[in-house]
CSV table of all heavy atoms in Angstrom, one decimal:
chain,number,residue,atom,x,y,z
A,463,ILE,N,57.6,-45.6,108.6
A,463,ILE,CA,56.5,-46.6,108.4
A,463,ILE,C,57.0,-47.5,107.2
A,463,ILE,O,56.8,-48.8,107.5
A,463,ILE,CB,55.3,-45.9,107.9
A,463,ILE,CG1,54.7,-44.9,109.1
A,463,ILE,CG2,54.2,-47.1,107.4
A,463,ILE,CD1,53.4,-44.2,108.6
A,464,ALA,N,57.6,-47.0,106.2
A,464,ALA,CA,58.1,-47.9,105.3
A,464,ALA,C,59.2,-48.9,105.7
A,464,ALA,O,59.2,-50.1,105.4
A,464,ALA,CB,58.6,-47.2,104.1
A,465,SER,N,60.0,-48.4,106.7
A,465,SER,CA,61.1,-49.2,107.2
A,465,SER,C,60.5,-50.3,108.1
A,465,SER,O,60.8,-51.4,108.1
A,465,SER,CB,62.1,-48.4,108.1
A,465,SER,OG,62.5,-47.2,107.3
A,466,TYR,N,59.5,-49.9,108.8
A,466,TYR,CA,58.6,-50.8,109.7
A,466,TYR,C,58.2,-51.9,108.8
A,466,TYR,O,58.3,-53.1,109.1
A,466,TYR,CB,57.6,-50.0,110.5
A,466,TYR,CG,56.7,-51.0,111.3
A,466,TYR,CD1,57.2,-51.6,112.5
A,466,TYR,CD2,55.4,-51.0,111.0
A,466,TYR,CE1,56.3,-52.2,113.3
A,466,TYR,CE2,54.5,-51.9,111.8
A,466,TYR,CZ,55.0,-52.5,113.0
A,466,TYR,OH,54.2,-53.3,113.7
A,467,ILE,N,57.5,-51.7,107.8
A,467,ILE,CA,56.9,-52.6,106.8
A,467,ILE,C,58.0,-53.5,106.2
A,467,ILE,O,57.9,-54.6,106.1
A,467,ILE,CB,56.1,-51.9,105.7
A,467,ILE,CG1,54.8,-51.1,106.4
A,467,ILE,CG2,55.5,-52.9,104.7
A,467,ILE,CD1,54.1,-50.4,105.4
A,468,ALA,N,59.1,-52.8,105.9
A,468,ALA,CA,60.1,-53.6,105.3
A,468,ALA,C,60.7,-54.8,106.4
A,468,ALA,O,61.0,-55.8,106.1
A,468,ALA,CB,61.3,-52.9,104.9
A,469,GLN,N,60.9,-54.2,107.5
A,469,GLN,CA,61.3,-55.2,108.7
A,469,GLN,C,60.3,-56.3,108.9
A,469,GLN,O,60.8,-57.4,108.9
A,469,GLN,CB,61.3,-54.4,110.0
A,469,GLN,CG,62.5,-53.6,110.2
A,469,GLN,CD,62.4,-52.6,111.4
A,469,GLN,OE1,62.7,-51.5,111.4
A,469,GLN,NE2,61.5,-53.0,112.3
A,470,LEU,N,59.0,-56.0,108.8
A,470,LEU,CA,57.9,-57.1,109.1
A,470,LEU,C,58.0,-58.1,108.0
A,470,LEU,O,57.7,-59.2,108.1
A,470,LEU,CB,56.5,-56.4,109.0
A,470,LEU,CG,56.1,-55.7,110.2
A,470,LEU,CD1,54.7,-54.9,110.0
A,470,LEU,CD2,56.0,-56.5,111.4
A,471,ARG,N,58.4,-57.7,106.6
A,471,ARG,CA,58.5,-58.5,105.6
A,471,ARG,C,59.8,-59.2,105.3
A,471,ARG,O,60.1,-59.8,104.3
A,471,ARG,CB,58.1,-57.6,104.3
A,471,ARG,CG,56.5,-57.2,104.5
A,471,ARG,CD,56.2,-56.3,103.3
A,471,ARG,NE,56.0,-57.0,102.0
A,471,ARG,CZ,54.8,-57.4,101.7
A,471,ARG,NH1,53.8,-57.3,102.5
A,471,ARG,NH2,54.6,-58.1,100.5
A,472,GLY,N,60.6,-59.0,106.4
A,472,GLY,CA,62.0,-59.7,106.4
A,472,GLY,C,63.0,-59.0,105.7
A,472,GLY,O,64.0,-59.6,105.4
A,473,PHE,N,62.8,-57.7,105.5
A,473,PHE,CA,64.0,-56.9,104.7
A,473,PHE,C,64.7,-56.1,105.6
A,473,PHE,O,65.3,-55.0,105.2
A,473,PHE,CB,63.3,-56.1,103.5
A,473,PHE,CG,62.8,-57.1,102.5
A,473,PHE,CD1,61.4,-57.3,102.4
A,473,PHE,CD2,63.6,-57.6,101.6
A,473,PHE,CE1,60.9,-58.1,101.4
A,473,PHE,CE2,63.0,-58.5,100.5
A,473,PHE,CZ,61.7,-58.7,100.6
A,474,GLY,N,64.9,-56.3,107.0
A,474,GLY,CA,65.5,-55.4,107.9
A,474,GLY,C,66.9,-55.6,107.9
A,474,GLY,O,67.6,-55.8,108.9
A,475,ASP,N,67.6,-55.4,106.7
A,475,ASP,CA,69.1,-55.7,106.6
A,475,ASP,C,69.9,-54.5,107.0
A,475,ASP,O,69.5,-53.5,107.5
A,475,ASP,CB,69.4,-56.1,105.2
A,475,ASP,CG,69.0,-55.2,104.2
A,475,ASP,OD1,68.6,-54.0,104.6
A,475,ASP,OD2,69.1,-55.5,103.1
A,476,LYS,N,71.2,-54.7,106.9
A,476,LYS,CA,72.1,-53.7,107.3
A,476,LYS,C,71.8,-52.3,106.6
A,476,LYS,O,72.0,-51.2,107.3
A,476,LYS,CB,73.6,-54.0,106.9
A,476,LYS,CG,74.3,-54.7,108.0
A,476,LYS,CD,75.8,-54.8,107.7
A,476,LYS,CE,76.6,-55.4,108.6
A,476,LYS,NZ,77.8,-56.1,108.1
A,477,LYS,N,71.6,-52.3,105.4
A,477,LYS,CA,71.4,-51.1,104.6
A,477,LYS,C,70.2,-50.3,105.2
A,477,LYS,O,70.3,-49.1,105.4
A,477,LYS,CB,71.1,-51.4,103.2
A,477,LYS,CG,71.5,-50.4,102.2
A,477,LYS,CD,71.5,-51.0,100.8
A,477,LYS,CE,71.1,-49.8,99.7
A,477,LYS,NZ,70.6,-50.3,98.5
A,478,LEU,N,69.2,-51.0,105.5
A,478,LEU,CA,68.0,-50.4,106.0
A,478,LEU,C,68.3,-49.8,107.4
A,478,LEU,O,67.9,-48.8,107.8
A,478,LEU,CB,66.8,-51.4,106.1
A,478,LEU,CG,65.4,-50.8,106.6
A,478,LEU,CD1,64.9,-49.7,105.4
A,478,LEU,CD2,64.4,-51.9,106.9
A,479,MET,N,69.0,-50.6,108.1
A,479,MET,CA,69.3,-50.1,109.6
A,479,MET,C,70.2,-48.9,109.5
A,479,MET,O,70.1,-47.9,110.3
A,479,MET,CB,70.1,-51.2,110.3
A,479,MET,CG,69.1,-52.4,110.8
A,479,MET,SD,70.1,-53.8,111.5
A,479,MET,CE,70.4,-53.1,113.1
A,480,GLN,N,71.2,-48.9,108.5
A,480,GLN,CA,71.8,-47.6,108.3
A,480,GLN,C,71.1,-46.4,108.1
A,480,GLN,O,71.2,-45.3,108.7
A,480,GLN,CB,73.0,-47.9,107.3
A,480,GLN,CG,73.9,-46.7,107.1
A,480,GLN,CD,74.5,-46.3,105.9
A,480,GLN,OE1,74.8,-47.3,105.2
A,480,GLN,NE2,74.5,-45.2,105.6
A,481,ILE,N,70.0,-46.6,107.2
A,481,ILE,CA,69.1,-45.5,106.9
A,481,ILE,C,68.3,-45.0,108.2
A,481,ILE,O,68.2,-43.9,108.5
A,481,ILE,CB,68.2,-45.9,105.8
A,481,ILE,CG1,69.1,-45.9,104.5
A,481,ILE,CG2,67.1,-44.9,105.6
A,481,ILE,CD1,68.2,-46.3,103.3
A,482,VAL,N,67.9,-46.0,108.9
A,482,VAL,CA,67.2,-45.7,110.1
A,482,VAL,C,68.0,-45.0,111.1
A,482,VAL,O,67.6,-44.0,111.8
A,482,VAL,CB,66.4,-47.1,110.7
A,482,VAL,CG1,65.8,-46.6,112.1
A,482,VAL,CG2,65.5,-47.6,109.9
A,483,ASN,N,69.3,-45.4,111.3
A,483,ASN,CA,70.3,-44.6,112.2
A,483,ASN,C,70.4,-43.3,111.6
A,483,ASN,O,70.5,-42.3,112.4
A,483,ASN,CB,71.6,-45.4,112.2
A,483,ASN,CG,71.5,-46.5,113.1
A,483,ASN,OD1,70.7,-46.7,114.0
A,483,ASN,ND2,72.2,-47.6,112.7
A,484,GLU,N,70.5,-43.1,110.3
A,484,GLU,CA,70.8,-41.7,109.8
A,484,GLU,C,69.5,-40.9,110.1
A,484,GLU,O,69.6,-39.7,110.2
A,484,GLU,CB,70.9,-41.8,108.1
A,484,GLU,CG,72.3,-41.9,107.8
A,484,GLU,CD,72.4,-42.0,106.2
A,484,GLU,OE1,72.2,-40.9,105.6
A,484,GLU,OE2,72.5,-43.1,105.6
A,485,ILE,N,68.3,-41.5,109.9
A,485,ILE,CA,67.0,-40.7,110.1
A,485,ILE,C,67.1,-40.2,111.7
A,485,ILE,O,66.9,-39.0,112.0
A,485,ILE,CB,65.7,-41.6,109.9
A,485,ILE,CG1,65.7,-41.8,108.5
A,485,ILE,CG2,64.6,-40.8,110.4
A,485,ILE,CD1,64.5,-42.8,108.2
A,486,GLU,N,67.7,-41.0,112.6
A,486,GLU,CA,67.7,-40.6,113.9
A,486,GLU,C,68.8,-39.3,114.2
A,486,GLU,O,68.7,-38.5,115.1
A,486,GLU,CB,68.4,-41.7,114.7
A,486,GLU,CG,67.5,-42.1,116.0
A,486,GLU,CD,68.0,-43.1,116.8
A,486,GLU,OE1,68.8,-44.0,116.4
A,486,GLU,OE2,67.8,-43.0,118.1
A,487,GLY,N,69.8,-39.3,113.1
A,487,GLY,CA,70.7,-38.1,113.2
A,487,GLY,C,70.2,-36.9,112.5
A,487,GLY,O,70.8,-35.8,112.5
A,488,MET,N,68.9,-37.0,111.8
A,488,MET,CA,68.5,-35.8,111.1
A,488,MET,C,68.3,-34.6,111.8
A,488,MET,O,68.5,-33.6,111.3
A,488,MET,CB,67.1,-36.2,110.4
A,488,MET,CG,67.4,-36.9,109.1
A,488,MET,SD,68.2,-35.8,108.0
A,488,MET,CE,69.0,-37.1,106.9
A,489,PRO,N,67.7,-34.6,113.2
A,489,PRO,CA,67.7,-33.4,113.8
A,489,PRO,C,68.9,-32.6,113.9
A,489,PRO,O,68.8,-31.2,113.6
A,489,PRO,CB,67.1,-33.8,115.3
A,489,PRO,CG,66.4,-35.0,115.0
A,489,PRO,CD,67.2,-35.7,113.9
A,490,THR,N,70.0,-33.1,114.1
A,490,THR,CA,71.2,-32.5,114.2
A,490,THR,C,71.7,-32.0,112.8
A,490,THR,O,72.2,-30.9,112.7
A,490,THR,CB,72.3,-33.5,114.8
A,490,THR,OG1,71.7,-34.2,115.8
A,490,THR,CG2,73.6,-32.8,115.2
A,491,ILE,N,71.5,-32.8,111.9
A,491,ILE,CA,71.9,-32.4,110.4
A,491,ILE,C,71.0,-31.0,110.1
A,491,ILE,O,71.5,-30.2,109.6
A,491,ILE,CB,71.7,-33.5,109.5
A,491,ILE,CG1,72.7,-34.6,109.7
A,491,ILE,CG2,71.7,-33.0,108.0
A,491,ILE,CD1,72.6,-35.8,108.7
A,492,PHE,N,69.8,-31.2,110.4
A,492,PHE,CA,68.9,-30.1,110.1
A,492,PHE,C,69.2,-28.7,110.9
A,492,PHE,O,69.2,-27.7,110.4
A,492,PHE,CB,67.4,-30.4,110.4
A,492,PHE,CG,66.6,-30.8,109.2
A,492,PHE,CD1,67.0,-32.0,108.5
A,492,PHE,CD2,65.6,-30.0,108.7
A,492,PHE,CE1,66.4,-32.3,107.4
A,492,PHE,CE2,64.9,-30.5,107.6
A,492,PHE,CZ,65.3,-31.5,106.9
A,493,GLU,N,69.7,-28.9,112.2
A,493,GLU,CA,70.2,-27.8,112.8
A,493,GLU,C,71.3,-27.0,112.2
A,493,GLU,O,71.4,-25.8,112.1
A,493,GLU,CB,70.5,-28.1,114.4
A,493,GLU,CG,69.5,-28.1,115.3
A,493,GLU,CD,69.6,-28.9,116.5
A,493,GLU,OE1,70.7,-29.5,116.8
A,493,GLU,OE2,68.6,-29.1,117.2
A,494,SER,N,72.3,-27.9,111.6
A,494,SER,CA,73.4,-27.3,110.9
A,494,SER,C,73.0,-26.7,109.5
A,494,SER,O,73.6,-25.6,109.1
A,494,SER,CB,74.6,-28.2,110.7
A,494,SER,OG,74.2,-29.3,109.9
A,495,ILE,N,72.0,-27.4,108.9
A,495,ILE,CA,71.5,-26.8,107.6
A,495,ILE,C,70.8,-25.4,108.0
A,495,ILE,O,71.1,-24.5,107.2
A,495,ILE,CB,70.4,-27.8,107.0
A,495,ILE,CG1,71.1,-28.9,106.5
A,495,ILE,CG2,69.6,-27.0,106.0
A,495,ILE,CD1,70.2,-30.1,105.9
A,496,LEU,N,70.2,-25.3,108.9
A,496,LEU,CA,69.3,-24.1,109.2
A,496,LEU,C,70.2,-23.0,109.6
A,496,LEU,O,69.9,-21.9,109.6
A,496,LEU,CB,68.2,-24.3,110.1
A,496,LEU,CG,67.1,-25.1,109.4
A,496,LEU,CD1,66.0,-25.7,110.4
A,496,LEU,CD2,66.3,-24.2,108.4
A,497,ALA,N,71.4,-23.3,110.1
A,497,ALA,CA,72.4,-22.3,110.6
A,497,ALA,C,72.9,-21.4,109.4
A,497,ALA,O,73.2,-20.3,109.7
A,497,ALA,CB,73.5,-22.9,111.2
Side-chain angles (χ1 to χ4, degrees):
I463 294 175
S465 307
Y466 176 72
I467 297 174
Q469 284 164 210
L470 285 175
R471 297 171 77 89
F473 294 99
D475 60 7
K476 262 197 185 150
K477 207 170 148 203
L478 185 68
M479 285 173 79
Q480 191 211 318
I481 290 179
V482 173
N483 284 330
E484 268 183 77
I485 295 175
E486 234 186 329
M488 274 298 152
T490 317
I491 293 185
F492 263 64
E493 270 156 12
S494 67
I495 287 176
L496 286 166

